[in-house]
């Protein structure tokens, strides 16, 4: 079987962002574009780590074609063993698990996460290292550098590999194995959570779930876990067949996009006990109770506080981590438990070292990402199963569990406002203007909110000492409140500005104000400091989560 060396031109724009390289589908379809980036990934690996590879994606448009191209590149580059998910499917958490379980050198995951798919949608390529986690910045920097100087790639001339059934295939020196995408992952979930108890509660009709796979990758996983293993009704699953265009919807599990699920959970009677959804590649989660939304920041705090209620974490937790814009709710739990709490920049890759070094058990981000040391990615279904397990053990509603949590720790009211597709120059100028004022802010009192510190977040990784600077502006009002602003690193068009606003109410407070109302005064303070609407001409955010 011939291997051909093809000339390509370097691409300067192949710079991985918060989570891999993400572009419009048409951008990826340019001649040699995908090949160039994948060859750059391979070239940036140490020779000893260029033998075994995992490959799969979230099933979005262009997944099939990209998988076949990458298989030809992997064979052309002499990988000995290549594992591919059946139908080309792998959720991001399952991919992380399989890399670890089969001790592979790394994996390529095809996904643009929660971004829309289809011919006019987005596509993405992520590389995860042998730890199972997203490549750290030093690796992505190497890939970018290589991609912008590459002049040729090596590709095998071979027929497309059929991916419908699990089988093995020897091509030249490479063994290609098409593997079940679901079973290993479902087995791990069964080890971590009390499937017996949940199954029993379902059987008694005491527990009901509605799970929305949003036409994306988690459908097959949810069917195996909730229906086949736990005995939930088929009708518990919504949109569970993966579609290349995600049913022309936005596979993002939040209140702006998971409307169908929200309507089910807001019914005045007969709503299920738990409503949950995941995103395109299955690493995000949204948790709803009856007429009740759990913020991802609160969810992380509740899981940390209740860890010992589920089998996988009976021994307790060693520490927690949250991304900087995530609310400080989990910090309060960590303080009470007497365990470490780390604050990292946005992006799951920053949790990798802390997990590998055994410093944390749980971690999470406000952007609907929650996870633990069981793998090296955030894990949507894991979070849903955790809540299901909690509901089964505590026999209380989601709202009761969260209310009890607030009564113990107080409540961090939280909102994130996204301004999408802004003119990049205007967005950058806005941030730069606030940046320029930072040093003069401490001590300033704006409508009763006193600024205690202000900075551009810089993270020093406690494990390898690496520095990540300029990770977002923080305006801190002591324990009372925080305002954070940063520019998105995952968008594919213009600039997206994210404003994160949070305010604490101690346990003695009312605790049940509507979030936007409670945060109104602080949002006004924010507009004084960072006049987004004034400078962009927008009347409000595009998305509120
Ligand atoms: C967004 C989220 C971030 C998450 C990332 C990948 O990144 O805010 O928390 O890790 O997607 O899912 P951003 O667009 O803000 O850079
Ligand atoms: Zn995702």
């Amino acid at each position: 079987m011939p291997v051909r060396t093809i000339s390509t031109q370097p691409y300067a724009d192949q710079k991985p962002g918060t989570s891999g390289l993400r572009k419009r589908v048409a951008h990826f379809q340019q001649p040699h574009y995908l090949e160039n980036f994948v060859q750059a990934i391979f070239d940036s690996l140490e020779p000893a780590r260029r033998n075994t590879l995992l490959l799969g994606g979230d099933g979005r448009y262009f997944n099939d074609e990209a998988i076949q191209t990458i298989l030809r590149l992997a064979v052309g580059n002499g990988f000995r063993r290549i594992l591919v998910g059946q139908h080309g499917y792998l959720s991001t958490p399952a991919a992380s698990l399989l890399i670890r379980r089969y001790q592979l050198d790394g994996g390529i995951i095809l996904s643009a996460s929660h971004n829309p798919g289809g011919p006019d949608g987005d596509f993405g390529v992520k590389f995860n290292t042998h730890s199972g986690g997203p490549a750290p910045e030093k690796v992505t920097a190497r890939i970018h550098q290589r991609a912008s100087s590459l002049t040729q790639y090596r590709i095998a001339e071979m027929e497309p590999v059929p991916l419908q059934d699990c089988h093995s295939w020897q091509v030249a020196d490479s063994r290609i194995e098409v593997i079940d995408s679901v079973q290993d992952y479902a087995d791990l979930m069964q080890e971590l959570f009390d499937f017996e108890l949940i199954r029993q509660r379902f059987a008694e009709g005491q527990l009901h779930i509605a799970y929305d796979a949003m036409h994306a990758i988690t459908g097959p996983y949810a069917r195996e876990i909730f229906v086949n293993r736990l005995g939930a009704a088929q009708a518990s699953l919504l949109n569970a067949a993966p579609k290349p265009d995600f049913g022309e919807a936005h596979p993002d599990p939040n209140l702006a996009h998971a409307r169908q699920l929200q309507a089910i959970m807001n019914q005045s009677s007969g709503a299920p006990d738990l409503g949950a959804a995941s995103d395109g590649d299955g690493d995000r989660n949204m948790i709803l109770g009856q007429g009740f939304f759990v913020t991802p920041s609160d969810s992380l705090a509740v899981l940390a506080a209740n860890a010992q209620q589920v089998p996988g974490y009976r021994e307790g937790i060693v520490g927690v981590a949250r991304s900087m814009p995530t609310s400080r709710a989990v910090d309060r739990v960590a303080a009470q438990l007497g365990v470490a709490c780390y604050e990292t920049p946005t992006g799951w890759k920053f949790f990798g070292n802390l997990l590998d070094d055994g410093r944390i058990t749980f971690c999470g981000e406000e952007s609907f990402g929650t996870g633990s040391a069981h793998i090296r990615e955030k894990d949507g279904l894991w979070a849903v199963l955790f809540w299901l397990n909690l509901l089964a053990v505590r026999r209380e509603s989601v709202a009761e569990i969260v209310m009890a949590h607030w009564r113990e720790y107080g409540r961090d009211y939280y909102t994130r406002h996204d301004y999408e597709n802004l003119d990049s120059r205007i967005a950058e100028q806005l941030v730069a203007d606030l940046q320029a004022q930072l040093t003069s802010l401490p001590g300033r009192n704006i409508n009763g909110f006193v600024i205690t510190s202000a900075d551009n977040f810089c993270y020093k990784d406690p494990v390898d000492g690496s520095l990540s600077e300029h990770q977002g502006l923080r305006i801190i009002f002591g324990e009372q409140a925080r305002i954070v602003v940063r520019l998105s690193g995952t968008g594919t068009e213009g600039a997206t500005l994210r404003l994160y606003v949070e305010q604490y109410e101690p346990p003695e407070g009312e605790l049940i104000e509507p979030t936007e109302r409670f945060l109104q005064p602080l949002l006004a303070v924010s507009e004084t400091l960072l006049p987004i609407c004034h400078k962009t001409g927008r009347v409000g955010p595009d998305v509120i989560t």
Side-chain angles (χ1 to χ4, degrees), residues 314-330:
R314 284 262 190 271
E315 312 284 290
I317 58 177
V318 293
V320 293
R322 62 163 171 84
S323 67
M324 182 273 280
T326 303
S327 97
R328 298 181 286 188
V330 75

Side-chain angles (χ1 to χ4, degrees), residues 18-19 22 113-114 279 283-284 323 346-348 365-367 378 416 486-491 496 498 500:
T18 313
S19 183
R22 232 175 251 190
S113 187
H114 50 287
D279 70 331
D283 55 359
R284 293 186 173 201
S323 67
T346 294
W348 208 260
E365 295 193 271
E366 49 62 44
S367 53
K378 56 189 174 240
R416 175 175 119 177
R486 56 180 284 280
L487 291 171
S488 156
T490 57
T496 295
R498 304 204 196 284
Y500 313 78

Side-chain angles (χ1 to χ4, degrees), residues 375-428:
I375 53 170
R376 293 295 178 272
E377 287 278 7
K378 56 189 174 240
D379 190 343
L381 280 166
W382 172 88
V384 179
L385 283 162
F386 205 128
W387 271 95
L388 205 51
N389 200 150
L390 271 190
L391 293 179
V393 172
R394 290 184 49 162
R395 298 176 179 236
E396 291 168 274
S397 70
V398 169
E400 283 163 350
I401 291 175
V402 176
M403 276 304 298
H405 186 90
W406 291 337
R407 266 189 236 106
E408 184 167 359
Y409 297 94
R411 175 175 180 187
D412 292 87
Y413 287 83
Y414 188 86
T415 192
R416 175 175 119 177
H417 288 190
D418 293 340
Y419 294 82
E420 295 176 344
N421 208 351
L422 295 174
D423 180 318
S424 301
R425 273 169 323 169
I426 296 181
E428 279 157 23

